[in-house]
Each structure stands twice: as C-alpha cells, then as structure tokens.
Amino acid sequence: MKTGLVLEGGAMRGIYTAGVLDVFMDNNITFDGIIGVSAGAIFGVNLLSRQRGRVIRYNKRFNSDRRYMGIHPLLRTGNIVDTEYAYCRVPRELDVFDDAAFMNSGIPFYAVVTNIETGEPEYIHIKSVFEQMDSLRASASMPFVSKPVSIDGGLYLDGAVADSIPFKKFIEMGYDRLVVVLTKDINYVKEPVSPLLSKTFYRRRFPKFEEKVRNRHIMYNDTVKGLKALEKNEEVLVIRPSENYRISRMEKDSGRLQGMYDLGIKDAKACVGRVKDYIYAETAAKQ
C-alpha cells in the first residue's frame, strides 16, 4: 500500500487546507507522497517542514499589506502577488520557512504547473523549497493577473488550469490509497470564464493554453464528478468544506481568513479517526 495526499488549490480558499494539515500534524498523520496544486502546493509544503500554524499566521499578517498582494503589486510588477516580497522576503526573512526540515522529511512532494506553450500539466518534484521557489510560484500564478514564470526555458502558470485535482496522476504514480483535500463544498460547480477575456489575453501567443483556460470549467466539473464516484465506492477519502463559507480568492480580512482556517480545523478533527483507519488499515491488519 502506498498512501498519497492530494491538495486542491483555490487561492485563499487554501487556508481551509492549512487548517486540515495542522490537524494532521497534531495527530502525526503522514503519507508516502504529497501532490499540491496552486495554493495546495505553496501551503502544503508546510506539512513537511512541520510548521504548524505558519500558513494562517503569515497570511493574516501580510495579506492586507499593499506591498504584498493586490492592485498595487499588479500595476507595479504585473503580478497580483509581489514576487520579491511574497516568495523571497517572507519565507527567508519575515516568517522563515524551514527548508532543512522539508528536505529531511523523506517524503516526496510534487507541485503541478501548466506549460502555457503546450497547455499540458507538468508535475515537478520539489526537493528544496528555496531552490525551487519558481516552480511553486508558477503553480500558484493565476491567469490574467500573473506573468508567466520561466523554468528551464519553459513558460508556466497556474497548475490548476490543466489539472485542478491531480488524483489521477497520483494513481498513475502508484499511490493506491488517497486522501484528497478540496477547498470547495460538495455543491460547488465551476462556471466558465469569459471567452473574450481568455482570447484577449492568450489566444494569439498561447492558443493551447487559452483553450485550457476557456474550457477549464468542463475539466474541473468532470474531475469532481469522477472523484465523487471513487469516493462513493470508498476508493478515495475526500475532505471538503462542510459549509459554503464565503471568502474572496484574494481575501485580506483576517477574520475571514481565520474563519476559513477554523472550518478546516473543525472538519479535519471530525474525520481524524476515519483518516487513520483508511490510510493505516493494511498496517493494522498485519499486526
């Protein structure tokens, strides 16, 4: 048996995931591998660095800072999240990420990115957060409000455009017992983006990526449908928000952030026993 953890993105909805992962830390729940998309990637690495509470702490501290995120960085740099501030100063100086602990965890971590020239997802093995920060940044760089990120000569943006919930990839990689953490409630249905918007931004230079952006709602809704079928057959275990908590994708209000985080804490605590039974079932049977 090979256990895997799959982390959906969703920008600041990913604070829900941070709550879930902190409960996993509290209960010493571990996995053989982890794959994250967008916010699931940049928040998920903290599980392997064992930095409980770091995600909610730095987001409550910095999200309302106009230098960190919002219209000012977008107008100044072309990125709605300031690259230097958010991906360099914060993790290296202001709320230090423990990269040594991450590297020493012994658990492989993968970040999903979308190659905007091919329109296809790529799955990058993150061995060092500091050395591969551009890969994590690419995974979380939302279309329309982010510049493409260059990695080894290729151009990349948000991994969720091409593979929003990469459980199928982890099954292909041999992970046969999956826990999937979603950031939308069970009734969520993704709506299409404006075709005019996607064509204006990407059709001329990156037509394959534009097609993926334009059709992402179809891919996402089909993916969720497939996941629900596996969940019904108890082939995967899914944790999702138990209520439709309203939070902006770029939420700055510390109270709203805390509320989403607390929901993740509550929902994870409610299913800790079920998670342990699911991922450790084979071990327990052999004892």
Side-chain angles (χ1 to χ4, degrees):
M1 183 184 73
K2 195 175 179 183
T3 62
L5 177 63
V6 180
L7 306 175
E8 184 185 15
M12 285 304 113
R13 287 191 290 262
I15 293 292
Y16 175 85
T17 300
V20 173
L21 299 187
D22 283 354
V23 172
F24 286 176
M25 282 188 240
D26 292 341
N27 289 272
N28 296 313
I29 294 173
T30 59
F31 298 85
D32 296 317
I34 303 171
I35 189 167
V37 185
S38 194
I42 60 174
F43 295 164
V45 293
N46 293 272
L47 178 62
L48 297 189
S49 67
R50 305 297 295 178
Q51 288 176 280
R52 190 194 191 284
R54 180 175 179 270
V55 174
I56 184 62
R57 182 177 66 240
Y58 79 74
N59 278 280
K60 286 175 68 176
R61 178 181 174 187
F62 296 111
N63 280 18
S64 60
D65 188 333
R66 58 188 285 174
R67 298 170 296 174
Y68 181 80
M69 180 180 75
I71 190 65
H72 292 93
L74 181 62
L75 293 176
R76 188 177 69 253
T77 70
N79 292 305
I80 199 165
V81 176
D82 186 277
T83 298
E84 176 65 22
Y85 199 109
Y87 292 99
C88 185
R89 285 200 65 201
V90 169
R92 291 180 180 271
E93 302 172 17
L94 302 178
D95 196 321
V96 177
F97 178 79
D98 192 342
D99 199 32
F102 175 87
M103 291 187 289
N104 290 331
S105 71
I107 298 172
F109 188 101
Y110 300 88
V112 186
V113 297
T114 300
N115 185 316
I116 66 173
E117 294 166 311
T118 66
E120 295 301 314
E122 295 182 17
Y123 307 89
I124 300 176
H125 186 186
I126 305 296
K127 299 178 181 179
S128 164
V129 167
F130 286 162
E131 291 180 9
Q132 296 173 274
M133 189 63 80
D134 280 348
S135 296
L136 291 167
R137 180 165 65 89
S139 184
S141 291
M142 295 181 292
F144 310 121
V145 292
S146 306
K147 290 181 177 179
V149 180
S150 177
I151 305 170
D152 296 331
L155 294 175
Y156 299 87
L157 281 172
D158 191 347
V161 171
D163 194 353
S164 295
I165 312 169
F167 68 92
K168 292 181 181 178
K169 180 62 179 180
F170 243 25
I171 291 172
E172 289 176 10
M173 293 172 66
Y175 294 90
D176 51 9
R177 193 156 298 212
L178 300 183
V179 173
V180 182
V181 181
L182 304 181
T183 57
K184 291 95 170 176
D185 69 275
I186 196 167
N187 296 313
Y188 177 83
V189 176
K190 182 170 285 296
E191 299 293 334
V193 301
S194 163
L196 178 61
L197 185 65
S198 66
K199 290 177 182 179
T200 300
F201 271 79
Y202 299 116
R203 170 62 67 86
R204 185 175 64 84
R205 291 190 61 199
F206 306 110
K208 293 180 180 178
F209 181 72
E210 187 275 330
E211 183 180 5
K212 285 292 175 71
V213 171
R214 179 163 34 89
N215 293 322
R216 186 189 166 199
H217 65 292
I218 300 173
M219 178 272 292
Y220 181 88
N221 294 331
D222 286 347
T223 298
V224 170
K225 182 178 179 180
L227 184 62
K228 286 180 178 178
L230 293 179
E231 182 183 14
K232 183 178 180 180
N233 293 330
E234 299 183 347
E235 296 178 56
V236 299
L237 191 154
V238 178
I239 301 172
R240 57 169 64 83
S242 56
E243 61 185 78
N244 181 17
Y245 187 90
R246 297 192 176 277
I247 185 171
S248 166
R249 290 179 62 81
M250 305 305 292
E251 187 64 61
K252 296 174 180 289
D253 183 88
S254 62
R256 300 299 300 169
L257 292 168
Q258 186 68 51
M260 191 66 169
Y261 172 81
D262 290 343
L263 182 60
I265 292 281
K266 183 190 79 169
D267 290 349
K269 283 183 175 179
C271 66
V272 161
R274 191 159 57 95
V275 171
K276 287 183 175 181
D277 288 346
Y278 176 72
I279 66 175
Y280 301 132
E282 185 172 288
T283 301
K286 292 179 178 179
Q287 293 178 344

